[in-house]
Every structure is written in C-alpha cells, then in structure tokens.
Amino acid sequence: MAGFRSLARQVRDPRCDLALRRYSLRKCLERFAPYGHRATWDHLCSRAGFGPEDRSPDPARLVAALDELEEARSVWLAYEVEFAHRRKKEKHDGLRRPGSVDDWHRLTWGGFGVAWCDDPRVHPREPLAEVLRRLISALEREPGSGCPVCDGARLTWKYDLAHEPSSGPVCADCGIVVPRPVLTPEALAAARRERRLLVSA
C-alpha cells in the first residue's frame, strides 16, 4: 500500500495520467484527512477551484490542493512529535495516567478526524494548516467557552456522529466537532442544554 509521500509524488508527476493524479490525491486522504475523508475532499476542492466530482481537473489545481494538504500535514506531524516527547517526559517523571487531551489524541493519531466535520459540506473556510494551528494552540492552553477554530459560540451537542467519539459538541458556524478538552465544563454543559432546547422545540 502506497504511503502519503509516494501518493503525493504521483499527484505532482506530469507523466502520470490525470485520472491517476486525481485518484492519488483522494488516496492521500486515507492517510491524512483532518475533517474526515469526504469533508476534507470537499474543502480541498472548493479552495483549489474544482468540483468534487470533476474527473479531469486542471493539474495545477490538483497540485494546489495537495500543497495545502501537505502544509497541514507538516503542522500536525510536528505536533505529534512534540506530543510524543511530552508524554515520554511525563512518564519519566512518574505521570503514567494520561489526561483528557491524551485520550482525545489517541482517537486522532495520524491526523484523521482531528477536526471532524460530520456534515461533509460544512467545514471551516480557512486553510487546513491555519485550522490545525488554532486547534493545537487551544489544546495547549486553558479550556475556553467557544470553538477554537472560528471563535463561534454556538455549540450544540450531537449524537450518532460518524467518528469517535460518537457524540460531542459541534460548532454551528464551522461544523467541526470541538474536542472536549478545549472546552470548560460549563461550555460542555451549555452545548448539552442547547441540544435539549433544539429537541424540545
């Protein structure tokens, strides 16, 4: 099975058939898709200027989409290196029990679903790398009351999500499932209340 870098080389290779180049970009999303496969694909297509169903997009647009994906991947891989280093130091210092950030991180290892968007058509508009930088910054500071990606305050608790965890606070503005460790207990409780209000309405 080809890895991310070999698939990326195929996307850039002008000697490859255009269909293979597009297919290789889609396959890259099996290795790294911050919003989930379908939402990340929709995001890349809209940002690069070709349709999700376009079978023969401009090769330059495919490469532009790949560039954005690669930049985001490098941001996430740097975070994972730092995360692993921190956990190793904590274990050395006797802190064996992982915290809530560690529990969340275990579900997103490799970068799949880091900022999960359950509705593939609703996702942040900013470049993927910027979204991940904001998310990582939120994971490294005290919990807040809103979405760390768009600063949205409208969080609603949703069940039966197509990703682990199967329920959680979803930002009504940018569509991400907000990681629980970045929210205060009060913000989590408010998202649950919002869910009850919507259901009873």
Side-chain angles (χ1 to χ4, degrees), residues 61 88 118 191:
R61 294 181 188 275
K88 185 176 180 181
D118 217 49

Side-chain angles (χ1 to χ4, degrees), residues 116-119 156-170 175-178 180:
W116 182 263
C117 297
D118 217 49
D119 182 342
T156 304
W157 199 270
K158 294 207 174 167
Y159 292 94
D160 299 321
L161 299 171
H163 183 63
E164 285 298 321
S166 61
S167 67
V170 175
I176 74 159
V177 178
V178 180
R180 293 181 203 182

Side-chain angles (χ1 to χ4, degrees), residues 1-4 6-8 10-11 19-33 37 41 66 69:
M1 182 182 289
F4 185 94
S6 62
L7 289 166
Q10 288 179 344
V11 176
L20 174 62
R21 294 173 73 180
R22 180 187 180 278
Y23 173 79
S24 296
L25 180 60
R26 287 295 300 253
K27 292 294 279 183
C28 283
L29 301 184
E30 292 178 10
R31 313 301 185 276
F32 179 72
H37 191 284
W41 178 249
L66 176 63
L69 188 65

Side-chain angles (χ1 to χ4, degrees), residues 5 51 92 121 172 181:
R5 283 183 290 188
H92 180 267
R121 295 159 309 203

Side-chain angles (χ1 to χ4, degrees), residues 32-101:
F32 179 72
Y35 302 154
H37 191 284
R38 291 172 57 211
T40 305
W41 178 249
D42 190 79
H43 169 87
L44 292 174
C45 291
S46 64
R47 296 240 337 136
F50 61 94
E53 301 302 322
D54 187 349
R55 298 293 174 195
S56 55
D58 179 345
R61 294 181 188 275
L62 283 177
V63 172
L66 176 63
D67 287 343
E68 180 173 344
L69 188 65
E70 283 181 321
E71 182 185 1
R73 184 172 179 262
S74 69
V75 168
W76 185 252
L77 291 178
Y79 170 73
E80 286 197 333
V81 167
E82 181 58 35
F83 177 88
H85 177 72
R86 178 181 62 81
R87 280 300 295 142
K88 185 176 180 181
K89 183 180 182 316
E90 287 174 349
K91 287 179 183 177
H92 180 267
D93 294 343
L95 182 61
R96 298 280 177 193
R97 188 167 181 213
S100 61
V101 171

